[in-house]
Amino acid sequence: METSTKPVDRPARVTDADGFTPVRVKQVIRETIDAVSLVLDIPEPAKDQFLYLAGQFVTLEATIDGTRHRRCYSMSSSPAVELDLRITVKRDRDGLVSNWINDTVSVGDELHIAPPEGRFVLTPTDRDVVTFAGGSGITPVFSLVHSALAATTRKARLFYANRDLESVIFRDALAKLTDVHAGRFEVHHHLDDHDGIVSPQRIADFIAGTTHTSTDYYVCGPAPFMDTVEQVLLDAGIPRRQLHLERFTVAAIPAPDPDNPVVTEKVTIELDRQTVTVPYRAGNTLLQTARLAGLKAPSSCETGSCGTCMAQVVDGCARMHNNDALDDDEVADGWVVTCQALPTSRTVRVVYE
């Protein structure tokens, strides 16, 4: 663990025009050989902007080799327990920013982050919590579980899948939680090198005996893992309103719908008191269309998970490839996450909040 014994000099600037705040890295904790936690020192004037709920994330902007990149990283800290904000980042084979963080970021470095966002949070109920995490998906799940145990009387269970024992992030911290909250929290570790790939039966066995009407379910991890868990839970009759998913894998834009041959010609976008109408370029999402029109459209995760880019289609229609941010009522009212929305009518009019 790398940490600083000297007071950290706070940046003179607070928040830039894009909403990013410069913060210093206060502490670096090597969680596993391929995962690191960064404790961030939030400037005093910006502290209120960075109050967060367990399960939320921040968007980090990094300049690497002269190019700016934005990525979302969930808080692994618990707002009910810790004063400092902590993110945990796992190395990824194709993860440019994640690997840069693991390889180069050290105490005292300046990072730029935007305020917390996300809807993968504890519901305001007294329902127990059953969670599923795969690999680095433990990051928001750990925050959720820690907060539920510290700030409520809810019971919690965790099914945590990893490649092998050395890949288990927060192994000691989870063991401590099971000791401190004996009878309220249990962890089931699934190791692929010993147990094989997670199967539907493993998930079904884990939830056997659970009273579904008094339980909320939270799932985060690689797409195949999440798909398996989600299907088992739905097959078990769990209402969708009690099933919470956090996906941060970029979804591919689908091919045109053969059952809907309508060609979109124009898109009108209202944003920040501007109204712009532009020709539509086939295959572009509404977010990409807004950017090409020169508009500074809000966005963050760009996977349909956070809801930052949501806008309302007030004329025409669009379809979303992925939506983990909006509920059915919002979709029925014409709201879309523009990063995942493709127009499906000859003309479309979109209004940002």
Side-chain angles (χ1 to χ4, degrees):
M1 178 172 66
E2 181 183 356
T3 187
S4 174
T5 57
K6 300 178 181 180
V8 176
D9 294 331
R10 295 189 182 278
R13 294 171 287 121
V14 179
T15 302
D16 65 20
D18 290 334
F20 284 81
T21 298
V23 301
R24 296 289 181 184
V25 177
K26 184 177 182 180
Q27 190 175 4
V28 177
I29 305 168
R30 177 56 60 182
E31 303 288 357
T32 67
I33 194 171
D34 58 359
V36 66
S37 289
L38 306 179
V39 178
L40 305 178
D41 191 41
I42 307 299
E44 194 65 38
K47 282 191 179 295
D48 286 348
Q49 299 177 50
F50 286 89
L51 299 175
Y52 66 98
L53 300 174
Q56 289 190 308
F57 63 87
V58 292
T59 302
L60 182 147
E61 183 175 81
T63 300
I64 303 174
D65 296 331
T67 302
R68 290 194 302 177
H69 305 271
R70 291 181 181 180
R71 297 292 187 273
C72 299
Y73 295 111
S74 298
M75 269 73 75
S76 54
S77 49
S78 164
V81 179
E82 300 154 284
L83 294 177
D84 291 318
L85 186 154
R86 182 182 72 236
I87 61 174
T88 301
V89 181
K90 185 177 180 180
R91 181 185 299 279
D92 184 83
R93 183 182 60 184
D94 301 314
L96 177 66
V97 179
S98 297
N99 294 345
W100 173 80
I101 289 173
N102 270 268
D103 292 337
T104 68
V105 174
S106 59
V107 168
D109 285 352
E110 182 181 275
L111 300 176
H112 293 75
I113 60 173
E117 298 179 84
R119 301 186 178 192
F120 188 69
V121 298
L122 291 171
T123 56
T125 70
D126 59 357
R127 289 194 289 263
D128 290 338
V129 175
V130 172
T131 60
F132 299 85
S136 60
I138 190 62
T139 303
V141 169
F142 183 76
S143 180
L144 288 169
V145 166
H146 201 176
S147 295
L149 294 172
T152 76
T153 59
R154 301 163 80 165
K155 293 182 179 179
R157 300 177 67 215
L158 167 63
F159 183 103
Y160 188 15
N162 280 282
R163 182 177 61 250
D164 51 44
L165 189 62
E166 297 305 312
S167 302
V168 180
I169 304 171
F170 308 137
R171 181 170 46 166
D172 292 341
L174 288 169
K176 183 177 180 180
L177 284 182
T178 59
D179 290 339
V180 172
H181 300 282
R184 286 185 60 208
F185 179 53
E186 65 172 278
V187 181
H188 173 78
H189 287 287
H190 179 102
L191 304 178
D192 291 348
D193 67 347
H194 180 268
D195 304 314
I197 301 300
V198 176
S199 67
Q201 188 59 53
R202 298 270 187 177
I203 303 302
D205 290 344
F206 183 73
I207 64 171
T210 302
T211 304
H212 299 324
T213 56
S214 60
T215 305
D216 280 325
Y217 298 82
Y218 294 84
V219 190
C220 187
F225 170 80
M226 292 190 64
D227 291 343
T228 297
V229 176
E230 180 183 14
Q231 192 59 57
V232 172
L233 297 181
L234 292 176
D235 288 346
I238 294 165
R240 275 204 174 271
R241 65 179 179 276
Q242 291 169 225
L243 175 56
H244 310 277
L245 308 171
E246 185 77 314
R247 299 183 191 272
F248 284 113
T249 54
V250 178
I253 299 300
D257 186 351
D259 297 325
N260 185 8
V262 175
V263 175
T264 302
E265 298 174 3
K266 295 186 299 183
V267 175
T268 299
I269 303 169
E270 296 182 31
L271 172 64
D272 293 337
R273 299 181 181 178
Q274 297 182 69
T275 300
V276 178
T277 299
V278 294
Y280 176 64
R281 184 181 298 177
N284 281 353
T285 63
L286 292 176
L287 176 60
Q288 291 169 325
T289 302
R291 288 172 173 166
L292 289 172
L295 298 174
K296 204 168 189 179
S299 65
S300 184
C301 73
E302 301 199 19
T303 64
S305 300
C306 70
T308 302
C309 67
M310 65 186 290
Q312 189 174 27
V313 177
V314 297
D315 184 32
C317 52
R319 63 189 175 97
M320 290 181 285
H321 177 55
N322 184 57
N323 168 37
D324 291 319
L326 307 177
D327 60 32
D328 292 342
D329 289 340
E330 290 171 318
V331 174
D333 286 338
W335 291 95
V336 296
V337 280
T338 58
C339 68
Q340 295 292 312
L342 294 170
T344 57
S345 56
R346 190 176 65 81
T347 61
V348 175
R349 189 178 191 92
V350 182
V351 179
Y352 281 88
E353 289 183 308

